[in-house]
Amino acid sequence: MSELFKAVDALVASRSALPPAQERRRLRVAHGLTLDEVAAALKVRRATVSGWESVKKTTEPRGPEREAYARLLNKLAELYPTPVEPAVLVPVPSASASVEAPAVPAGQTPAPAAMPAPVNTQTPAPPPTAPDGASRPERTTTPSSTSRRPDAKAVPARTPAGVDSRFENGPLAVVDVHADGQVLAYCTGGLVLEVPAKSLPALVEWTLKEARLGQPKLAGPGKDADPLLVLTKTALEHYGLPVALTEEERLAGRIPEGHKVVKQLFRAEWKLTKRGFGPWARIYRPATGSSRACVHLCIPSWHALDARHWGRAGQLPPAELARVLGVYASRVMTPRGSTAVTGLELMTALHPATRASEPGTDGKRHSEHNPGSLGKDPVDPAPCEAPDGHPLLADLPRFHVRGPGEKLFEEAYDWARPMTDDECTLRHLVGIDVNMAFAAGANGLIVGLGAPTHVTNPAFDPKLPGSWLVDLSHVDLSKVKAGKQWVELDGSLLPSPFTPKGERPEGPAWYATPTVAYAVELGYEVRPVEAYVRYDNGRYLDGWYGRLRDAYLATMSDLGVDADRTPDDFLAAMADYKSRDPELAIVVAAIKATVKGGLGKLRERPRGEGWRPGEPWRA
């Protein structure tokens, strides 16, 4: 009898009632669940769950999966009952006319429905995206299967907890044009919006007024991130822009100011920054009060996404590209330019240069320096820190070559030596790579925040950032102090850590504080002759390092490489991590490039623009 009862229970479960596909998706998103999480819980493929939620081609679960799925939806329905809204007049963003919903008599409550449908369009409005911008977009195959949202002003937003309603559609969108001329904006989380704009100025207006794109500020005194639009080749053609830059335009980094689209922007009273309309363009109007009107453009076919850092991201379909950039934006920040530019912008976003002061006697606030940040006004470096061509060195002879006693040579280490005879007999060479090594070097680093102070015969202070003129030629790497004992090593096989090429220093030279501190750590006495130190200092990069570290660890964890694995498991997981999710592997590479590029950007050299040695440059 028990077997008969089980068979009967299975028959009942196989017909468990399920809400419509759109309601299934609403419940999942309301609880912040991704398709991957539901699929893992039900032991099915991600595409299977996506099919259960598809409006056009809904598939139905069967067997025990249906019973479990129905139980999940019933639990979620108890937590997130269907909201009841009065019928309203909603303008449709497409070219079709508005449709007036039936009026509700006074005092009468409208009947609840599975999903409110305030306008009779061919495809109903999707719910807002999940809080995690890292969820994989749900791919669509035809324009008719895309999700469309009615006018944002007419329908009250149902935003998940923790998501800023101003930016409910995510930080960015990839704008693409289908063969039938329909313009669509692919957002994070699988959301696709109809774009009614017929020109680039209209697209900018639509983005600021209706698209609800952007990202909340990362620090209290900071500013919200401006929305980012990524224009595909079809979008460029649609809005009258070239699909590719000419050689002259590529070298200039922009299209000419006389281009018809640039003229359209100027006629509409939009402005461009000094870098003009290039691969990363910024279109804005001067701020009025606290309100900003600015949209960033990213144009992959103009090489905005450098293949060295973004891999094949520029060739991805719109939905996949939105996912890659969306994950990066949610874990790092909305891209502002190259990974190097974004790395530098992240520092500023976490430590804005200014903040609002306390109200004065007149009750008004004003802008003041934000403690712990790099000021908005540049300061000169120490002469030994200045790169060649800097205005501080304008009095030097034209072809003068500065040596270690005049110039700070602190670069990434580059050293190699011939192999010994014994080493040549070995069968294997083991290479050791420290993941995020540049980021780890920034962790806890004390950074100078103001102008340097020159001192003579100073006592070395490892907590004081600056440059020190000191003789380290006496440091013998064959003898290292461990506690109170000296340990003998084979120093002939080790490079000197005090020169970029590994040679032993020959006399006094300029070193940064961490390098001199390392000599002290080895047990050697140091006596600086002079120094340029910064008494205004702080751990400026700690928050920057922490955010990039967390972004790296979270993305690697998504790829199956967790930080707490055993060494053997770690190596096995690293062996093929890129093949598990090639799109997330792109994000990992971009995060690492953001670290190296952001630090390198702090010492940016002149980049053309008619610069001559002895003149200042923008960076």
Side-chain angles (χ1 to χ4, degrees):
M1 291 295 290
S2 60
E3 293 182 358
L4 291 177
F5 288 158
K6 289 180 180 179
V8 170
D9 291 342
L11 282 176
V12 174
S14 68
R15 299 296 186 272
S16 297
L18 297 175
Q22 196 168 23
E23 175 68 0
R24 302 172 193 177
R25 185 176 189 275
R26 183 190 75 82
L27 292 171
R28 173 179 63 79
V29 172
H31 200 59
L33 298 174
T34 65
L35 290 172
D36 293 312
E37 290 173 329
V38 176
L42 299 180
K43 294 182 170 54
V44 297
R45 294 186 303 115
R46 181 187 183 282
T48 301
V49 180
S50 180
W52 296 345
E53 295 182 359
S54 174
V55 176
K56 285 295 181 182
K57 297 181 180 179
T58 307
T59 58
E60 295 296 329
R62 299 178 181 178
E65 290 83 7
R66 184 183 183 93
E67 181 180 9
Y69 190 46
R71 181 179 178 83
L72 170 66
L73 295 176
N74 288 336
K75 293 290 186 182
L76 294 179
E78 293 176 2
L79 295 173
Y80 309 99
T82 304
V84 179
E85 299 175 1
V88 292
L89 179 64
V90 181
V92 182
S94 64
S96 59
S98 303
V99 179
E100 184 173 358
V104 179
Q108 181 174 333
T109 303
M115 184 69 184
V119 39
N120 184 22
T121 58
Q122 290 183 346
T123 52
T129 57
D132 183 8
S135 61
R136 188 182 182 96
E138 297 158 22
R139 303 177 184 179
T140 57
T141 55
T142 62
S144 60
S145 65
T146 58
S147 301
R148 299 180 180 89
R149 178 187 298 280
D151 185 274
K153 295 180 180 178
V155 180
R158 294 185 290 274
T159 308
V163 175
D164 194 321
S165 61
R166 297 172 300 159
F167 313 127
E168 65 170 314
N169 293 333
L172 55 90
V174 180
V175 181
D176 188 52
V177 182
H178 282 211
D180 60 357
Q182 186 180 36
V183 185
L184 300 175
Y186 291 79
C187 306
T188 57
L191 178 67
V192 183
L193 303 176
E194 267 191 351
V195 181
K198 304 298 182 183
S199 66
L200 192 63
L203 177 64
V204 175
E205 294 278 3
W206 171 83
T207 303
L208 293 172
K209 294 181 179 179
E210 300 181 39
R212 294 193 181 186
L213 296 174
Q215 191 175 37
K217 59 187 177 182
L218 299 180
K223 299 176 181 178
D224 297 326
D226 300 315
L228 174 67
L229 295 181
V230 184
L231 303 183
T232 65
K233 292 181 179 180
T234 57
L236 292 174
E237 292 177 339
H238 183 81
Y239 291 114
L241 291 164
V243 172
L245 298 178
T246 65
E247 183 65 18
E248 183 179 356
E249 292 169 344
R250 187 186 65 80
L251 292 175
R254 69 191 74 185
I255 59 176
E257 289 191 5
H259 192 280
K260 62 178 183 180
V261 175
V262 178
K263 290 182 177 180
Q264 287 177 1
L265 291 170
F266 290 163
R267 283 196 298 268
E269 298 182 349
W270 290 103
K271 296 181 180 294
L272 296 169
T273 58
K274 289 184 178 180
R275 65 182 177 185
F277 201 121
W280 291 92
R282 180 171 174 258
I283 303 172
Y284 73 99
R285 285 184 180 136
T288 56
S290 60
S291 63
R292 289 165 55 87
C294 179
V295 173
H296 287 263
L297 297 185
C298 168
I299 305 178
S301 66
W302 294 5
H303 304 291
L305 301 175
D306 192 325
R308 294 172 299 174
H309 308 140
W310 288 101
R312 53 182 292 271
Q315 286 74 50
L316 291 175
E320 282 79 354
L321 180 55
R323 181 201 179 209
V324 168
L325 295 177
V327 173
Y328 180 90
S330 66
R331 294 177 177 176
V332 180
M333 71 179 299
T334 305
R336 302 282 187 88
S338 66
T339 49
V341 169
T342 304
L344 193 62
E345 291 284 344
L346 179 61
M347 297 179 194
T348 306
L350 293 170
H351 284 286
T354 60
R355 68 178 183 182
S357 68
E358 294 296 326
T361 55
D362 57 356
K364 296 182 179 180
R365 299 175 183 266
H366 62 275
S367 178
E368 67 177 12
H369 174 66
N370 183 28
S373 70
L374 293 174
K376 63 177 181 178
D377 298 321
V379 296
D380 283 332
C384 62
E385 300 166 350
D388 294 336
H390 194 279
L392 284 176
L393 311 175
D395 294 336
L396 288 179
R398 182 175 180 184
F399 297 104
H400 178 73
V401 178
R402 295 188 293 162
E406 298 177 272
K407 181 180 179 180
L408 183 75
F409 288 92
E410 291 277 15
E411 299 291 343
Y413 209 68
D414 180 14
W415 176 81
R417 61 164 174 79
M419 296 176 65
T420 66
D421 292 341
D422 290 339
E423 289 170 341
C424 290
T425 65
L426 302 176
R427 298 183 60 186
H428 301 286
L429 176 67
V430 178
I432 300 177
D433 179 29
V434 179
N435 286 320
M436 299 280 283
F438 279 84
N443 183 29
L445 184 67
I446 302 175
V447 178
L449 303 177
T453 300
H454 182 249
V455 292
T456 56
N457 298 317
F460 176 69
D461 185 351
K463 296 182 180 180
L464 197 57
S467 299
W468 310 77
L469 181 61
V470 59
D471 188 354
L472 298 180
S473 60
H474 64 289
V475 176
D476 183 2
L477 294 180
S478 64
K479 298 178 181 179
V480 177
K481 200 169 187 179
K484 296 183 178 181
Q485 301 294 325
W486 286 91
V487 179
E488 295 284 342
L489 302 174
D490 188 354
S492 63
L493 298 180
L494 297 174
S496 170
F498 307 116
T499 59
K501 298 295 183 180
E503 306 97 342
R504 188 166 179 166
E506 298 178 353
W510 286 99
Y511 300 101
T513 299
T515 305
V516 183
Y518 183 57
V520 175
E521 184 180 338
L522 293 177
Y524 290 90
E525 183 181 9
V526 296
R527 294 180 179 178
V529 178
E530 59 178 308
Y532 287 91
V533 295
R534 290 166 174 83
Y535 295 106
D536 181 12
N537 58 69
R539 296 174 58 159
Y540 177 73
L541 295 173
D542 276 10
W544 181 84
Y545 159 77
R547 186 165 180 85
L548 288 166
R549 174 206 60 203
D550 293 346
Y552 176 78
L553 292 177
T555 310
M556 289 298 291
S557 179
D558 290 342
L559 288 166
V561 185
D562 300 310
D564 56 354
R565 286 177 176 266
T566 63
D568 289 342
D569 288 345
F570 176 80
L571 292 176
M574 286 290 291
D576 61 345
Y577 78 93
K578 293 183 179 180
S579 62
R580 294 183 197 126
D581 192 331
E583 293 169 14
L584 283 184
I586 292 174
V587 178
V588 170
I591 293 172
K592 296 171 80 171
T594 304
V595 172
K596 295 184 68 174
L599 293 174
K601 202 75 172 172
L602 292 173
R603 193 174 167 81
E604 185 178 352
R605 306 302 200 273
R607 303 181 63 185
E609 300 177 336
W611 175 83
R612 294 181 179 181
E615 297 178 347
W617 59 91
R618 281 201 296 156

